Amino acid sequence: MTHARTRTSTEALAMLGDRVLLSYIVLSAIAAVVLGFSFVDSGLAIGATVVLLGAAVGVFAAARYTVLSRFVLAFVLVAFVVLHIQLARGMEEMHFGVFVSLALFLTYRDWRVIVFGAVLFAVHHVVFDRLQAAGFGLYCKIGRASCR
């Protein structure tokens, strides 16, 4: 009896987590398009938004409430935060999306999703910082790159 209740609780958390992340992804998609038009990079905003929304809706339709959906939706949300930072040319305010995303990952109560998201953000920060420093037109933060 206890096992059945635990399983039901786990499934309920998966349902809640997928719905929360998908809702926030839709809001992030809207924000990306607005940022794209505000910062004169609408092509990147629309193109990336279509691809990322397609991935999120596709995994939700095909594998909702599974471990796969947790990781794909987490990846998509991280990618939207990266897109927001890029579209805003490294504006520091866009970096708050990192912390909001990590907080939303807590909905699943699965440490693997949180670590996965944190590692993705860390890799993004290091790679984009070095590419920004090399002059590739990718943004980690406003101005000069920070890692030495």
Side-chain angles (χ1 to χ4, degrees):
M1 187 78 174
T2 305
H3 177 65
R5 186 168 23 150
T6 303
R7 190 174 132 216
T8 303
S9 174
T10 303
E11 290 172 355
L13 286 172
M15 290 173 63
L16 176 65
D18 279 5
R19 289 177 180 163
V20 166
L21 257 60
L22 189 62
S23 299
Y24 197 75
I25 285 168
V26 169
L27 291 174
S28 294
I30 294 166
V33 172
V34 169
L35 284 169
F37 282 103
S38 298
F39 287 91
V40 195
D41 206 350
S42 58
L44 173 62
I46 293 170
T49 296
V50 167
V51 170
L52 292 172
L53 268 180
V57 170
V59 78
F60 189 79
R64 79 183 82 178
Y65 317 139
T66 65
V67 174
L68 175 65
S69 70
R70 292 179 200 177
F71 287 98
V72 172
L73 292 175
F75 175 84
V76 169
L77 188 52
V78 168
F80 266 117
V81 173
V82 169
L83 179 61
H84 294 165
I85 294 168
Q86 178 65 27
L87 291 170
R89 309 267 192 254
M91 185 184 293
E92 291 179 7
E93 291 85 344
M94 295 300 120
H95 288 77
F96 286 105
V98 172
F99 306 111
V100 171
S101 298
L102 291 172
L104 290 173
F105 297 155
L106 288 169
T107 309
Y108 288 115
R109 295 188 186 173
D110 183 350
W111 65 270
R112 299 171 300 174
V113 177
I114 300 163
V115 170
F116 176 69
V119 167
L120 288 175
F121 282 125
V123 169
H124 158 260
H125 184 73
V126 171
V127 171
F128 274 46
D129 179 78
R130 294 295 82 213
L131 291 172
Q132 181 180 359
F136 279 95
L138 296 172
Y139 294 91
C140 177
K141 64 183 291 183
I142 294 175
R144 294 175 40 108
S146 61
C147 297
R148 305 271 184 248

